[in-house]
Amino acid sequence: MADLIRSIAGHYNYWMFVILMMTGLFIVVSRGNLIKKIAGLNIFQTSVFLFYISMGKVTGGTAPVNTGRAGEVYSNPLPHVLILTAIVVGIATTAVGLALAVRIKESYGSIEEDVIEDMHRTERPA
Amino acid sequence: MDMLFQSLSPAFIYLAAALVLPLSPNGRVRALVLLAVPVAAFASFAAMPYGEYGQIRFLGLALTLFRLDALSWLFGLAFSIAAFLALLYALHLRDSVQQAATLIYAGAATGAVFAGDLVTLFIFWEATALSSVLLIWAKGGEASYKAGMRYLVVQVGSGVLLFAGLAMLWRETGSLAFEAMTLESLATWTILAAFAIKAAFPLLGGWLADAYPRSTVTGAVTLAAFTTKLAIYALARGFPGCDILIPVGVAMALLPLPYALGADDLRKSLAYLLNSQLGFMVVGIGIGTPLAINGAVGHAFAHIIYDGLMFMALGAVLAGAGTIKESELGGLCKTMPWTAGFILIGALSFAALPLTSGFVTKSLTFSAATPLVQDLLYAASAGVFMAAVMKTGRVFFTGTPVISAEAPLAMRFAMGLSALLSLGIGLVPGLLYRLLPFDTPYQPYSLHPVLMQLLASGAGCLIWLALAKLGWLPHELPGMPWLCRKAGTTGAAIADAAKRPWARFARWRKRLLDTGLSRTFRMAGPDGPLARTLPVGSMALWVVVLLGVTLLLTYL
Amino acid sequence: MIAGATAGFIAKHLPVLVVLVPLMAAPACLITGNRHATWAIATLASWTSFALTVALFIRVAGQGPLSYSLGGWAAPFGIEYRADALNAFILPLIAGIASFALPYARGSIGRDVEPRQQNLFYSALLLCLAGLLGVTITGDVFNIFVFLEISSLASYVLVAAGGGRDRRAFKAAFDYLIMGTIGASFFVIGIGFLYMATGTLNIADLAHRLATAPADRTVRMAYGFILVGIGLKLAMMPLHQWLPNAYSYAPPAVTAFLAATATKVSLYVLIRFLYTVFGLDDPFEAQTLKLLVMPLGIIGIFAASTVAIFQNDIRRMFAWSSIAQAGYMLTGIALMTPQGLAASLVNIVNHGLTKGALFMAVGMLTLATGTSRLSDLRGIGRTMPWTMAAILAGGLGLIGVPLTAGFISKWALVSAALDAGQWWLAGAVLLSSLLALGYVWRIVETACFGKADETRVIEPVPLAMVIPAWGLLAVSLYAGVQPALIMEGANAAARSLLPHLTGVGG
Amino acid sequence: MTDHIALPLSILIPLIIGLFVHMFGDRPNQRDAVSLIGGIVTFIMVGWLLPEVMAGARPSASLFEMLPNVSLAFRVEPLGLMFALIASGLWVLTTLYAIGYMRANGETDQTRFYLFFAIAISSAIGIAFSANLLTLFIFYEALTLSTYPLVAHKGTDEARKGARTYLVILLGTSICFLLPAIIWTYGATGTLDFEPGGIVRGHLPPAFAPLLLALFAFGIGKAALMPFHRWLPAAMVAPTPVSALLHAVAVVKAGVFTMLKVGVYIFGTDYLAETGASVWLVWLAGFTILAASIIAMTKDDLKARLAYSTVSQLSYVTLGMALAVQSGVMGGAMQIAMHALGKITLFMCAGGIYVATHKTKVSELDGLGRRMPFTFAAFAIGALSIIGIPPTGGAWSKFYLMLATLDAHQQVLLIVLMASSLLNVIYLLSIPARAFFLPEAGTALRGFGTLKEAPLLCVLPPCLTAIGTIVLFFHADRIYWLIALIPTAGGHF
């Protein structure tokens, strides 16, 4: 029991990653509002960042700054670097998504998916 | 050039004539040209030395187009005479189809007789079938058309059997020569079956009485002369002395007689009689001694003439009175005296009364037969007398005359010639005997045959009178058309029975297809769940589902 | 002297130049502004990179795999660009399609994008091209993610460019974006797991370490996430739903380009991960292919083809057909034999060429008549016989009629299935051709034997569209008549991926 | 590339003619003249090859390699030459006929018609001269596709439906069965070349031979083996010249020709005979022969009846191959020639009747023979050839097939052949019989006085082909010597 608690507590940030990921996906799945969908997507992506950063953490390690002292344990810097890139990608995606949402709003007058679907249904020629 | 002509059998004279026929003016000239054809055909081979001409290799087959020997010579002569008489009888006709058909038919029969190998025989065999059916169809009308179709199927069936048989024989023996065969393999049995159909063996000969009465006036004359006699020739050539033919022949001689007596249509009655006569010939071939073969062949020769005479006379009646039903005719000797005279001679020949050709040829066979067969054949003779002389004679010589016109001159001329020939052979049998294939001396006019024949005829006469008095004369008996109808209705019933489950299957299949298609459309059509554009949320849900499945798989 | 030096420079940096040329040309387009000039730059860039990919292909075919360390940092620490028999085989297809698509875009884009914004369009197209090329050539898995996102973001924009004519393009692009991002995120999660398990991101290094280390749950998680993530990008059956709309509403040039390249590159990534990285050492991996990918591929073939039959819009019909075709490629991959893999690769190239040409021809039809609805195109074959002939030729390729590229693909796949003893698969593949016959023939029948609408106005099709369409079609037909080059390339690639399996068939 | 210029030319000329036809689209006279001349030139080209092939040469041409060991290649061998001669020779006559028919009927889209006609002929000759299965397959599919517009020519719903059936069955069988058969053969043997004696021996376990043969037999849908025969009656919606050439000669004969090629050059008759792989096919072919004949009897529509007759007759060739003896192959090969000539006569007559009277039902033909004697006489002669009655060529092919049933010890099939002949008599000969000898409804039987034949161009070709069937009877040895060169087991006899 104690082991289990320690295992859960010890992998706390991994559990958060899973929860965030599920939350993000749930929002994407369940919300009809396009902006909310993008927000969900963002949460989802954030969970990925968290996942990478947790992965690079070495227990007891410091920040990966070369201090010159021998034998110092520091966290793996590479995932952090990678996630910087991923964050950029995430921002770009959000930007494009929001831009699209704007255009959708302009041409449909709504950003509710079911409203748009209704318009499509009536638009389709017999 | 000479060689070429020699190598072609006289059949080709007929065929060439048939080809140019449509080009010649349709009139008296053509008629005369027509008459010259059989004469020329006969002249072409009459004086040729016996031998095999026209031997060629074709498609790897050794063929002999023209074999001249005593047997084929005699049949060649018989067919020339028959063709001449038939054409003479039909001289008034202005129907190119019938004229050409007659020429081809005669030519094909002649060619078959002169064929030295089975392939050539087959070719002409089929040609007789095809050309003769035109003479039936030429009468016009649904009945003739149907009878013609039945006739054609049977005839082609005979040809196909011959074809199959010769193929088998070739594979067995490597030879295609048309020589005497023994019944020891499927091949020869098949060939015999082919001959049997054309010779109208019992149960196989229904076509004869079915088709002949439905042919044209002149066509019947022609038909009667060739097809069956060709079969007799083929049997004489291929199966002389084949024992099985004796009982078959006896049955053949006897079985058609009740039909002949019962038929209201006189030409039909005559057709049955013809069938019975063939039985006499088959018996002769079955016995197979030189005398018996002579008898069969001689009888065939004589029969061609007197049978033709009968058909001519009945045809004249049909043409003159418009009907040939016994029940509708009477007293014709008043209105058609010539015809009546001729038909009497024909009928007496049929009944083989002494001094007629029928007698001098039939008695050859009789004398070669065993006593039992003799007795049976005499019994048949009695029956023939009843049907040929009594039944036919009644409409000519009794009853109130019906309106009818005497036959045209050419017809009468042909009948007269036939009658003359019949009597001539009867009176001077040596003329014919000399031509027979075997050189066996025989004197027909001895006491026993004459007496027996007269007895049989007298008995036949008395029995008929008695039956007529009692009203026990047989009525129309079911023949081939009946059989065909029965087969047709049965077939239709079977087809119906088979069709129902098929239709059910087809309906089921259609329903399956329809529902399948509509279901597919509901699934995959533009608005179906497969093709519909899902909200992006559902798409994402699918991703999660698939991820779940994949991760689940990792735990397996 | 200078020429020699230039040639030497190019030869030395060939792998990176392939990506760099379009990547650099994109901002150049952005800056230039003038649409004619940008078009010229873009075309030149795509042609250059096409020439470079061909050179690379020849080099790799002659000298074997080529490794290039970006910035001089050696692998596995630096990013490695690595051209081997597999990606050198895919690269010319991508660049080649772009080389046809750009001239085609010049003729057709005027309908969708305002003249002053066309420079943006071209730079997006170039970015997309650069991303796709980068995905293909890089030897670093995270780099794959980055390039994948570059190309994806560009393609969202490209799809949305169709919104000028039909607003549904916006929604399609939006859906595409959501789905694409989820897919990419899954992919990157998978990479994370891989890194967790091995501590490296270099493909060769990963392959080496995974081959020696026992497969634990982390690797399996990585496998699952990557499979689903890439499956989404390549429109594997239940993850395909973004595709029909995206392809139907994008501008014709974009559809032609994306259909011929984007999903194909994703397939390449899948092959790369399955065969190089994971190497199918773990029985679980093979099991997944057999139990999941193969059935999904076959279901995809049949379901998508059936849906295509009932579509009224030609572009949509062919979009569904693309999903079905992806199914063929997946089944080939899932066969796990060199023949199957080679068949998939042949299919990737041949289908890319054919579908590209087809979408171009359909684009011409749409441009001339203003509609792509089949019910509005009755009897169009009489008025536009040559365009219809092109569609027919491409359609025959989809069915797999001999002398078309599709026939070669089908031949390769069926013989691979037979070699692997999978009779039912061979049967299913051939049976599904009949469904292709169904939708192709709906078009032919309606267009050639339907009653023509007399009042229809046909606008002239610019030569700039006709020539690339027919050119690509000619290439695809040539690939059907002379398949040796593609077959050999595919075989070499398959051999290099499955060296432990010998006996490569046609 | 090629060692005889006539070989590529005979395939190319029809294509070039097609091009010219397209160019002369708006000038009907030139267009039709070009078609006709093209037919004649093609025929001459094919005929040019005859002496050399008879002398033992096998002109060949190879274009390029498509798969390892498999090129797009041509090779003229006796069977193919015979097929090409028939196809190209009858093209001339059919073109003549088509000119008469299409004009008399006022059909539209004639240019498209002649164009695809030419392509179809080119494909047929390509099939005939194919040196390997892949080349054959390519032209086989080309033939299917090029005939589709011909079948759908009228563009009506009915025509489109029929054409759809036509296409789906032919393409479907070829893709689902023939293609895997070819791929399997290639996988097993590494080659697809037509080799005397076959190529599968030693590469295919005998137990699998029937399966492979089944894939081939059903894959060659053009041979109309039941149950894949429905396309043939469905395709009868086409204009009659199409039915005549394509469904009496080019398409169906391409099917059975392929069947023979596969039997002789892929399996080899020896192999088939030893393994008994084709025994089931013998029975299926026999069944098809009889069943199709029986169905034909129930059809009142003239062309439908002829179509089912074709289904039946095609199976004669399949039967000849399946019997796996030399006489069977010869009979089958001869049947290709004889049936082509006979059946095209029948179809052209049917078309002639339609042009002159617009009648399509057998039951409506009573008495018409008296007005159209030439047409119906030709019909009768053609029918005789189909049945196999001398003096028409059909008799010889039937003869060899009968021998083949004996050689293969399948006497039951002999009975099937005999029965089929009789059925043929009933459903074919009844047609001219009615026409000549039954009076037109409501009238008396008339003489041959006033003729009302179809236009000359619709009457002359069937008369010529009818005469041709008779000529073939007497000159069957020409064909015999050509097809005797087909390498089969047991040498010549």
Side-chain angles (χ1 to χ4, degrees), chain A residues 53-107:
Chain A
I53 293 164
S54 315
M55 195 167 71
K57 173 69 183 167
V58 177
T59 315
T62 63
V65 181
N66 194 353
T67 55
R69 268 173 288 179
E72 194 182 54
V73 179
Y74 56 88
S75 294
N76 187 352
L78 189 61
H80 300 185
V81 176
L82 294 181
I83 230 55
L84 278 180
T85 321
I87 289 169
V88 172
V89 168
I91 290 169
T93 310
T94 311
V96 174
L98 287 175
L100 281 171
V102 169
R103 291 304 301 268
I104 289 171
K105 170 79 179 167
E106 278 174 14
S107 48

Side-chain angles (χ1 to χ4, degrees), chain B residues 256-281:
Chain B
L257 293 172
Y259 286 88
L261 280 171
D264 189 28
D265 183 323
L266 284 177
R267 290 205 300 173
K268 191 179 203 174
S269 167
L270 186 57
Y272 281 119
L273 273 176
L274 192 170
N275 200 345
S276 156
Q277 295 286 301
L278 296 172
F280 287 89
M281 301 172 212

Side-chain angles (χ1 to χ4, degrees), chain C residues 211-494:
Chain C
T212 48
D216 57 7
R217 183 142 293 152
T218 317
V219 176
R220 291 182 179 185
M221 289 296 266
Y223 181 87
F225 272 100
I226 290 173
L227 187 66
V228 175
I230 295 297
L232 209 154
K233 288 268 178 191
L234 61 79
M236 188 163 75
M237 186 54 181
L239 314 178
H240 63 278
Q241 287 141 340
W242 55 270
L243 190 143
N245 280 342
Y247 281 14
S248 315
Y249 302 126
V254 172
T255 307
F257 177 66
L258 288 183
T261 55
T263 50
K264 308 295 175 286
V265 166
S266 303
L267 272 160
Y268 156 78
V269 175
L270 187 66
I271 293 174
R272 180 59 89 196
F273 269 90
L274 289 179
Y275 287 93
T276 308
V277 175
F278 292 104
L280 301 178
D281 308 312
D282 192 353
F284 152 73
E285 290 158 5
Q287 208 64 22
T288 311
L289 280 189
K290 208 181 284 170
L291 291 179
L292 195 70
V293 176
M294 174 87 84
L296 284 180
I298 291 172
I299 292 171
I301 296 172
F302 279 93
S305 302
T306 314
V307 171
I309 291 178
F310 297 113
Q311 292 300 320
N312 189 28
D313 185 295
I314 299 185
R315 293 179 67 190
R316 221 177 163 72
M317 190 183 268
F318 284 132
W320 280 100
S321 145
S322 280
I323 298 167
Q325 294 286 335
Y328 288 114
M329 297 162 209
L330 282 172
T331 47
I333 293 171
L335 269 177
M336 290 181 288
T337 61
Q339 290 93 331
L341 199 52
S344 267
L345 290 170
V346 168
N347 214 336
I348 285 175
V349 175
N350 284 348
H351 178 246
L353 296 172
T354 310
K355 202 38 94 46
L358 253 180
F359 273 120
M360 285 185 184
V362 173
M364 280 149 63
L365 203 63
T366 318
L367 187 90
T369 60
T371 177
S372 58
R373 276 192 299 273
L374 208 50
S375 47
D376 297 340
L377 289 171
R378 287 203 186 93
I380 192 73
R382 287 164 215 260
T383 33
M384 299 181 71
W386 288 106
T387 308
M388 263 324 289
I391 292 177
L392 177 63
L396 292 179
L398 294 182
I399 302 168
V401 169
L403 289 187
T404 62
F407 175 68
I408 303 297
S409 320
K410 212 143 276 180
W411 176 286
L413 188 55
V414 170
S415 49
L418 288 182
D419 272 349
Q422 309 265 31
W423 291 87
W424 57 275
L425 176 61
V429 167
L430 292 168
L431 201 64
S432 63
S433 305
L434 289 190
L435 296 175
L437 177 68
Y439 56 79
V440 171
W441 226 258
R442 256 195 79 203
I443 301 176
V444 172
E445 231 184 65
T446 317
C448 297
F449 294 95
K451 271 244 163 359
D453 177 12
E454 302 296 336
T455 60
R456 185 165 42 217
V457 184
I458 303 290
E459 290 184 32
V461 179
L463 216 55
M465 292 172 79
V466 176
I467 292 171
W470 276 98
L472 198 54
L473 187 69
V475 174
S476 113
L477 290 178
Y478 181 76
V481 174
Q482 285 285 44
L485 183 71
I486 292 172
M487 295 272 269
E488 275 164 27
N491 275 331

Side-chain angles (χ1 to χ4, degrees), chain D residues 285-366:
Chain D
F287 173 79
T288 306
I289 290 173
L290 282 186
S293 287
I294 291 170
I295 296 173
M297 280 169 55
T298 67
K299 296 287 171 191
D300 191 31
D301 186 276
L302 182 52
K303 280 175 78 177
R305 189 180 282 199
L306 296 182
Y308 275 103
S309 159
T310 305
V311 172
S312 166
Q313 293 287 319
L314 290 177
S315 277
Y316 279 70
V317 185
T318 307
L319 176 68
M321 183 275 274
L323 287 169
V325 289
Q326 201 213 358
S327 44
V329 172
M330 296 194 60
M334 240 182 218
Q335 169 79 357
I336 289 182
M338 305 301 187
H339 177 251
L341 219 57
K343 196 44 80 55
I344 200 171
T345 310
L346 299 191
F347 271 117
M348 291 200 285
C349 290
I353 295 164
Y354 179 74
V355 167
T357 65
H358 280 269
K359 284 180 178 162
T360 57
K361 296 238 184 301
V362 173
S363 51
E364 299 169 343
L365 301 182
D366 292 1

